[in-house]
């Protein structure tokens, strides 16, 4: 039916992610806070830290429902992630926390999730998955090396997050959670 005025297509900006609990966020912060002394850049607020599994961007209501039904069919196993390296990518200008050993179950989860949501029209931008937690943005100069105690994170679930921007920055809201076995 034709509506008067501007036609509004409802959209959601969404991504799937691994989402640390508060205790893990705290542990990470205790270990890596000197990174934030970097003279450049913008800190990602602690409550926003996550590892993206699939970024869908702005999607319609239909895709929003579709990816959630497809995620119901993901069969993933829980795993331990040891966050032990801090890196810097010069092109996206981010400082990140990641792992030198990628658990096979994490790769399997990434592969399975991407395969399931392909049915909703999604294809990943990057085929190789480099799990990372962005800590800082707009950093052009590598941070000083930091010795820290690796943080062991037991990943038991993955989530779908809706991302909105207000005048203070990105606001993330968890829409749905799927347990790993
Ligand atoms: P801002 O863009 O304002 O800095 P943000 O990056 O925190 O905010 P989004 O742009 O909604 O928020 O991104 C949400 C998550 O998806 C972030 O982890 C971001 O790095 C990741 N992401 C964003 N764009 C892409 C993309 N094109 N490919 C892969 N991951 C992406
Ligand atoms: Mg972004």
């Amino acid at each position: 039916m034709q509506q008067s005025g501007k036609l509004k297509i409802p959209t959601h900006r969404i991504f799937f992610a691994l989402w640390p609990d508060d205790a893990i966020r705290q542990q990470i912060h205790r270990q890596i806070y000197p990174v934030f002394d970097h003279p450049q850049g913008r800190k990602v607020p602690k409550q926003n830290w996550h590892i993206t599994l699939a970024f869908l961007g702005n999607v319609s209501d239909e895709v929003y429902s579709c990816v959630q039904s497809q995620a119901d069919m993901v069969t993933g196993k829980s795993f331990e992630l040891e966050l032990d390296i801090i890196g810097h990518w010069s092109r996206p200008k981010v400082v990140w926390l990641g792992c030198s050993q990628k658990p096979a179950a994490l790769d399997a989860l990434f592969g399975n999730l991407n395969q399931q949501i392909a049915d909703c029209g999604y294809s990943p931008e990057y085929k190789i998955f480099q799990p990372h937690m962005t800590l800082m943005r707009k950093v052009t100069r590598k941070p000083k090396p930091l010795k820290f105690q690796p943080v062991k994170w037991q990943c038991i679930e993955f989530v779908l997050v809706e991302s909105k921007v207000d005048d203070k920055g990105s606001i993330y809201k968890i829409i749905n959670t799927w347990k790993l076995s």
Side-chain angles (χ1 to χ4, degrees):
M1 188 172 65
Q2 193 73 37
Q3 290 188 341
S4 60
K6 259 191 191 166
L7 181 65
K8 269 196 161 175
I9 298 169
T11 60
H12 309 266
R13 186 178 175 85
I14 54 171
F15 61 97
F16 285 97
L18 298 173
W19 199 259
D21 65 19
D22 288 345
I24 293 290
R25 285 176 204 278
Q26 210 45 52
Q27 276 185 51
I28 294 171
H29 188 261
R30 260 204 308 275
Q31 295 299 331
I32 58 88
Y33 69 90
V35 164
F36 298 130
D37 289 337
H38 199 285
Q40 291 184 325
R42 169 163 68 80
K43 286 187 215 176
V44 174
K46 186 160 131 227
Q47 73 272 14
N48 281 1
W49 295 346
H50 64 273
I51 293 180
T52 301
L53 293 169
F55 177 76
L56 289 111
N58 293 313
V59 300
S60 62
D61 279 346
E62 200 186 335
V63 174
Y64 182 75
S65 303
C66 180
V67 294
Q68 294 185 66
S69 305
Q70 291 298 113
D72 289 344
M73 290 188 277
V74 170
T75 52
K77 291 213 180 316
S78 57
F79 52 89
E80 185 182 80
L81 200 56
E82 187 164 331
L83 300 169
D84 60 352
I85 43 174
I86 288 172
H88 173 246
W89 288 328
S90 52
R91 224 157 64 95
K93 303 190 186 75
V94 295
V95 175
W96 49 267
L97 177 65
C99 49
S100 52
Q101 301 287 329
K102 187 168 35 159
L106 174 54
D107 252 336
L109 172 62
F110 174 79
N112 191 212
L113 176 64
N114 277 278
Q115 197 179 19
Q116 292 294 352
I117 62 179
D119 283 7
C120 312
Y122 172 75
S123 64
E125 196 172 333
Y126 304 102
K127 301 282 178 212
I128 296 170
F129 176 46
Q130 294 183 274
H132 64 280
M133 187 177 282
T134 302
L135 302 172
M136 292 191 84
R137 297 185 186 279
K138 300 191 189 274
V139 177
T140 52
R141 265 182 286 137
K142 231 183 195 11
K144 276 194 234 144
L146 174 71
K147 274 227 165 87
F148 66 100
Q149 200 68 42
V151 173
K152 291 183 179 172
W153 171 17
Q154 192 63 34
C155 298
I156 55 162
E157 61 192 24
F158 68 96
V159 298
L160 181 66
V161 185
E162 183 150 2
S163 157
K164 293 202 167 131
V165 181
D166 76 359
D167 49 353
K168 291 190 204 82
S170 299
I171 312 276
Y172 296 150
K173 186 174 166 211
I174 295 178
I175 302 300
N176 211 333
T177 301
W178 290 267
K179 295 283 173 203
L180 299 167
S181 60

